[in-house]
Amino acid sequence: MSLVGALPFLKPRLSPSVSPGRQRRHTLPASEFRPLNTQDAISVFEIEKEAFISVSGDCPLHLDEVRHFLTLCPELSMGWFEEGRLVAFIIGSQWDQDRLTLDALTLHKPKGSTVHIHVLAVHRTFRQQGKGPILMWRYLQYLRCLPYVRRAVLMCEDFLVPFYQKSGFKVQGRCSITVASLTFTEMQYPVRGHALMRRNSEAIGFPQTVLLLEEPIQRSESALLLEEQTQRTEPESADV
C-alpha cells in the first residue's frame, strides 16, 4: 500500500522564511516526524523504560515487543525527532475486534480496521512542553490517510483519561485486561474523513491507496491551543 498521501504528516513543511539553499546546509532537520524502524528500537525502549517504570513498575512494550511491532507494522508508528534525536513516539498495531483482549498486547491483525495504540511516551527532557498532545494530533490526522482504518483505541490508567479526552478520545468502559494490580479504562477515537479523501483521489485519477490531502500540513489552531493548555498539565508518561 502506498503512503504517498500520508507522508506530509510525517515531514513538516519548510518555513517560507528559510531559503532552500540555506536549509540544505543543515545536515539534520530541526524537527521531523517519521515512522519508526527497528534501528530506533533501543532509543524507543530507553524513553519508555524511564517514563513508565517509576510510575507503573513495568513497560507497555518490552524491547523484543518494540522490535516485533516495528518489524510487522512500522507504518503505524510515529517518531518525533529534533536534530536527529528521538524526543517522543507512538507505536500502534492493527486489531480486529470491538474491544481489547490480552491478544491485543502482542498481536498485529493485518485485516483489522482498528489501530491499537500501545504506547505514547515523551523523553524526560522534553516533557511539560505540550509535545504529547501535538504528537497525538499528528498521529490521528495521519491515520485518516490510511483507508483501512476506522478507529483508534487504547487502554490507560484512570488518571490519564482526561489527557486523552482532550485529544478527542471517548471512554468505552472498563478494559478486560489487567496487569498485576493495575486496571485500565478503554477509550476510542473514530477516524473520519476517508470518504471525502477517496472521492478526491478518484477525481484526479489516483488509485484508492494514494490519498490527496487538502489540509495544509501545519499545526492547527486547535492543536496549538491544546499545546498551550497542557504545557503545565501534561503527565510524565502515557500508559496505553
Side-chain angles (χ1 to χ4, degrees):
M1 183 191 70
S2 172
L3 296 179
V4 172
L7 290 178
F9 280 104
L10 303 177
K11 295 184 178 181
R13 290 177 175 175
L14 300 180
S15 170
S17 62
V18 179
S19 68
R22 184 176 180 183
Q23 183 69 27
R24 282 195 296 269
R25 286 197 288 269
H26 292 280
T27 303
L28 296 171
S31 187
E32 178 187 21
F33 297 84
R34 65 164 173 81
L36 300 166
N37 56 59
T38 53
Q39 294 180 337
D40 301 311
I42 293 177
S43 296
V44 164
F45 186 63
E46 288 300 318
I47 294 175
E48 183 191 16
K49 184 171 60 174
E50 189 278 330
F52 285 91
I53 292 294
S54 61
V55 176
S56 303
D58 199 2
C59 295
L61 298 176
H62 294 159
L63 181 56
D64 59 337
E65 295 167 330
V66 170
R67 290 190 173 119
H68 171 72
F69 287 119
L70 294 186
T71 298
L72 292 179
C73 47
E75 72 281 1
L76 296 179
S77 67
M78 181 178 287
W80 185 341
F81 295 80
E82 293 196 351
E83 297 183 349
R85 180 186 183 186
L86 181 65
V87 301
F89 68 88
I90 291 173
I91 293 179
S93 65
Q94 281 173 258
W95 183 240
D96 61 357
Q97 298 181 31
D98 290 338
R99 300 294 296 265
L100 295 173
T101 68
L102 277 174
D103 284 344
L105 301 183
T106 55
L107 297 182
H108 169 58
K109 298 284 191 174
K111 294 183 180 180
S113 61
T114 295
V115 170
H116 172 206
I117 299 175
H118 293 272
V119 57
L120 159 65
V122 179
H123 191 284
R124 63 180 180 276
T125 306
F126 296 89
R127 291 178 197 148
Q128 307 302 322
Q129 298 177 23
K131 281 183 163 50
I134 294 297
L135 180 61
M136 180 60 79
W137 179 83
R138 282 212 179 239
Y139 186 77
L140 294 174
Q141 296 303 308
Y142 167 71
L143 292 184
R144 293 178 60 205
C145 306
L146 305 181
Y148 55 86
V149 177
R150 290 294 174 266
R151 65 181 187 131
V153 299
L154 57 82
M155 51 185 255
C156 66
E157 294 181 70
D158 291 346
F159 76 94
L160 285 169
V161 168
F163 174 78
Y164 288 112
Q165 286 176 325
K166 290 178 181 178
S167 293
F169 283 84
K170 304 296 184 183
V171 172
Q172 276 196 289
R174 301 306 299 174
C175 185
S176 64
I177 301 170
T178 60
V179 178
S181 61
L182 296 177
T183 60
F184 304 94
T185 297
E186 192 166 331
M187 306 186 73
Q188 71 168 345
Y189 178 94
V191 177
R192 300 186 178 93
H194 299 296
L196 175 62
M197 290 181 179
R198 288 195 189 103
R199 287 198 297 271
N200 289 337
S201 300
E202 292 168 356
I204 62 174
F206 275 83
Q208 289 289 327
T209 53
V210 182
L211 306 177
L212 176 66
L213 303 181
E214 292 186 326
E215 300 174 347
I217 312 308
Q218 300 172 353
R219 285 188 286 183
S220 68
E221 291 182 0
S222 61
L224 290 172
L225 178 60
L226 182 61
E227 178 182 15
E228 181 180 351
Q229 291 174 339
T230 56
Q231 279 181 352
R232 297 185 180 180
T233 60
E234 184 180 359
E236 289 291 304
S237 60
D239 188 0
V240 291

